[in-house]
């Protein structure tokens, strides 16, 4: 920044994203979030292949047994994955999904999905589908759960690398 003249200059900068090394702190502070990648039949995914449809299961709970309101669950996708938007695609027949939680609101972006809900002692499971569109090795951000108005409640879990064959 280069300025001329007299007076004060105020500026602010903020960045967001994964660290260059892919490292992050895995923690549970009052809430717990966990991610699983499942096949169309509900089995854990063993290997990822281009053009596969994968079901993502996010499980949220309060670790202290108290309800915690205004939780945003954020799942960052690796670069080679694309969300199958439930607003524009037909629902798939997956009878093994029972007791899926319904969020108060959800927001789908190109690289992430957000679920807004309350965390309770009883686990809530949110499901969504992704299509694998590219081969390669990708960095996966952790699944995150944050209390929007109570910063002491947070959980980050499940980041790493994924190889698509």
């Amino acid at each position: 920044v280069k300025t001329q003249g007299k007076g004060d200059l105020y500026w602010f900068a903020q960045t967001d994203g994964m660290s260059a090394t892919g490292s992050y702190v895995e923690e549970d502070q009052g809430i717990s979030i966990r991610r699983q990648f499942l096949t169309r039949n509900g089995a854990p995914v063993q290997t990822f292949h281009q053009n596969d449809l994968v079901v993502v299961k996010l499980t949220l709970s309060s670790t202290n047994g108290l309800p915690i309101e205004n939780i945003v669950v954020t799942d960052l996708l690796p670069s080679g994955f694309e969300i199958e938007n439930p607003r524009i695609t037909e629902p798939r027949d997956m009878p093994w999904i029972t007791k899926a939680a319904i969020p108060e609101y959800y927001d789908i972006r190109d690289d992430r999905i957000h679920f807004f809900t309350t965390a309770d002692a009883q686990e809530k499971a949110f499901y969504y589908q992704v299509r694998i569109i590219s081969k390669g090795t990708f960095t996966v951000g952790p699944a995150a759960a944050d209390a929007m108005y109570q910063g002491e409640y947070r959980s980050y879990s499940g980041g790493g690398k994924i190889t698509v064959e």
Side-chain angles (χ1 to χ4, degrees):
V1 175
K2 185 177 180 181
T3 63
Q4 294 179 347
K6 294 183 178 183
D8 295 327
L9 170 68
Y10 299 94
W11 64 277
F12 173 81
Q14 181 177 349
T15 61
D16 188 19
M18 293 295 299
S19 70
T21 63
S23 64
Y24 66 94
V25 176
E26 189 163 323
E27 65 180 328
D28 292 326
Q29 297 292 322
I31 54 179
S32 170
I33 187 72
R34 297 296 181 265
R35 178 198 305 122
Q36 289 180 284
F37 293 108
L38 306 170
T39 66
R40 288 176 165 198
N41 299 321
V45 172
Q46 301 299 322
T47 57
F48 295 94
H49 298 280
Q50 187 177 21
N51 204 34
D52 280 355
L53 182 70
V54 175
V55 178
V56 181
K57 178 183 179 184
L58 297 170
T59 306
L60 173 71
S61 65
S62 167
T63 60
N64 61 13
L66 301 173
I68 302 167
E69 296 179 338
N70 301 309
I71 300 292
V72 60
V73 174
T74 302
D75 197 16
L76 292 167
L77 297 174
S79 292
F81 287 40
E82 186 175 88
I83 295 174
E84 295 273 304
N85 190 333
R87 294 179 181 128
I88 60 174
T89 58
E90 285 294 316
R92 307 245 192 294
D93 185 28
M94 296 184 193
W96 56 268
I97 296 178
T98 58
K99 298 182 182 178
I102 299 172
E104 295 167 25
Y105 180 77
Y106 67 95
D107 181 37
I108 298 173
R109 303 293 172 108
D110 288 339
D111 65 342
R112 68 192 72 198
I113 190 166
H114 300 286
F115 294 102
F116 298 86
T117 190
T118 297
D120 297 307
Q122 183 175 356
E123 288 185 344
K124 288 183 177 182
F126 299 97
Y127 297 87
Y128 70 100
Q129 299 166 33
V130 296
R131 175 80 55 193
I132 301 175
I133 57 172
S134 300
K135 292 181 180 182
T137 300
F138 304 99
T139 300
V140 181
D146 294 283
M148 293 187 287
Y149 306 111
Q150 295 174 287
E152 66 272 18
Y153 296 115
R154 62 190 175 276
S155 178
Y156 309 107
S157 171
K161 298 273 187 192
I162 286 182
T163 300
V164 177
E165 301 172 352

